[in-house]
Amino acid sequence: MSGGTFPAPLAQPMRRAVRLEWWNIAWTISIVGVMGLVLGQSQTMKTAWIEDMLGLVPPAMFLIAARFETRHGRSARFPFGFERVNGLGFFVAAVALTAVGAFLLYDAAMTLVTAEHATVGSVRLFGHDIWLGWLMMGAQIYAIIPPLIIGRKELPLAEALQDKLLHTDALMNKANWMTGVAGLAGIVGLGLGWWWADSVAAAAISFSVLNDGINALRSSTAELVDGAPRRLSSADLSEDAEAVKASLETAFPGAEVRLRETGRLIRAEVHGTLPPAEALPPSTYWPNEEDRAWRLAQVSFVPPAEKDDGAR
């Protein structure tokens, strides 16, 4: 009993998410350009700049995955369509997030250990010498606003679509605006002569990125190896999956229920029992809100193994 390649109820929120991600990419490119102009020798600015460039990975992967998932159906070579391409994009984004977070944390820690003193000089602008720190703070303020707005808009769409890749992007935008706030503190610290403030702020940002990356990596890896469905925000088991398992165990007492996740969809196998005499759609076994019954895409049955005497 199987559903379609892409759930019809998700068409409208998917279109909104795609438009939002195009805006996200455009704003992020502008932020990367502005930040690159005023980097100087600040460790915080360099960390924030690299993180902003990293912020292009999740929306780009989401747009690629959305195109395959919504425009390409089943074929002889891909009999299940491309419903797992979103999970593959989620894994790529998680790897990038983890790797860059680890690198930035190492870089900031080495700067603290070696007591490397960053300096912020002056630039000639419109015939006046201006402390570069003012331009850095202006760039950081500009870098805070778009991620703050876009990230808040992404969260409800990620929930509606049950899209871990989109949720990871929302976390990335949260990290970006928090980076801006920490960056402002680091630059002010440099201005006050606290050489360590810049590196401490950079290390705090890096640790946050690394933590988000590790959580995303755990969840994305579980999906790729057919683990039980995970929540959007953590590697814990999904509430929907636990409710579906309880519903099937009630409907088929004594059977073993196994669940796995393919992208945003849940597929169930009921082992040790025969299917009901009347074929029922998967949504019949969905226990929660009806508007999310599309998540249960398949319920298949594995009859009991035959005994030596041929009896079931």
Side-chain angles (χ1 to χ4, degrees):
M1 293 186 276
S2 302
T5 55
F6 186 76
L10 302 187
Q12 184 177 358
M14 177 59 83
R15 285 194 294 268
R16 290 174 56 198
V18 167
R19 285 196 300 269
L20 185 62
E21 290 300 67
W22 278 114
W23 277 108
N24 190 9
I25 288 176
W27 279 111
T28 301
I29 290 174
S30 72
I31 290 171
V32 168
V34 170
M35 295 282 283
L37 292 174
V38 296
L39 275 181
Q41 297 181 356
S42 169
Q43 185 73 19
T44 305
M45 290 295 292
K46 183 174 72 171
T47 302
W49 184 59
I50 294 175
E51 186 185 13
D52 287 330
M53 287 194 291
L54 173 65
L56 290 169
V57 175
M61 294 306 302
F62 175 84
L63 292 173
I64 293 171
R67 183 175 181 85
F68 274 91
E69 193 178 1
T70 59
R71 298 193 182 187
H72 298 274
R74 299 186 180 99
S75 66
R77 298 186 66 182
F78 296 94
F80 290 94
F82 290 90
E83 61 190 43
R84 297 192 78 160
V85 72
N86 180 271
L88 179 60
F90 178 39
F91 177 75
V92 172
V95 169
L97 199 62
T98 304
V100 174
F103 167 76
L104 295 178
L105 183 59
Y106 170 80
D107 198 27
M110 290 304 298
T111 302
L112 281 172
V113 170
T114 58
E116 182 179 328
H117 289 52
T119 57
V120 179
S122 300
V123 293
R124 191 77 174 172
L125 194 63
F126 304 117
H128 299 279
D129 290 327
I130 299 176
W131 182 51
L132 186 59
W134 295 118
L135 299 182
M136 290 179 177
M137 286 191 284
Q140 289 283 20
I141 292 172
Y142 173 69
I144 289 172
I145 298 172
L148 182 61
I149 296 173
I150 292 174
R152 292 176 66 89
K153 288 181 176 293
E154 284 174 331
L155 285 174
L157 287 173
E159 179 68 28
L161 294 167
Q162 283 298 295
D163 196 302
K164 293 187 177 71
L165 180 51
L166 190 61
H167 190 269
T168 298
D169 192 27
L171 291 179
M172 193 71 217
N173 278 302
K174 178 183 177 181
N176 284 341
W177 72 257
M178 290 176 66
T179 296
V181 175
L184 286 173
I187 295 165
V188 170
L190 283 179
L192 294 174
W194 301 340
W195 66 267
W196 46 265
D198 186 50
S199 296
V200 168
I205 296 166
S206 305
F207 184 79
S208 175
V209 174
L210 179 60
N211 183 61
D212 287 341
I214 290 174
N215 286 333
L217 192 58
R218 289 176 60 196
S219 185
S220 62
T221 303
E223 180 181 338
L224 291 179
V225 298
D226 283 339
R230 301 306 203 261
R231 298 183 184 182
L232 278 179
S233 57
S234 73
D236 296 333
L237 296 182
S238 163
E239 300 98 324
D240 283 347
E242 291 179 332
V244 167
K245 184 177 181 181
S247 173
L248 289 170
E249 287 174 342
T250 300
F252 305 98
E256 179 189 358
V257 177
R258 302 178 188 177
L259 302 179
R260 62 188 176 95
E261 199 168 28
T262 56
R264 64 191 84 252
L265 304 177
I266 295 174
R267 296 184 179 273
E269 292 181 1
V270 185
H271 289 250
T273 187
L274 295 171
E278 180 184 356
L280 300 172
S283 58
T284 305
Y285 303 103
W286 184 258
N288 297 330
E289 302 89 345
E290 219 173 283
D291 59 348
R292 288 175 63 177
W294 55 264
R295 285 208 74 195
L296 188 56
Q298 176 181 329
V299 178
S300 57
F301 294 86
V302 180
E306 292 184 355
K307 297 182 180 178
D308 292 339
D309 59 2
R312 290 186 179 277

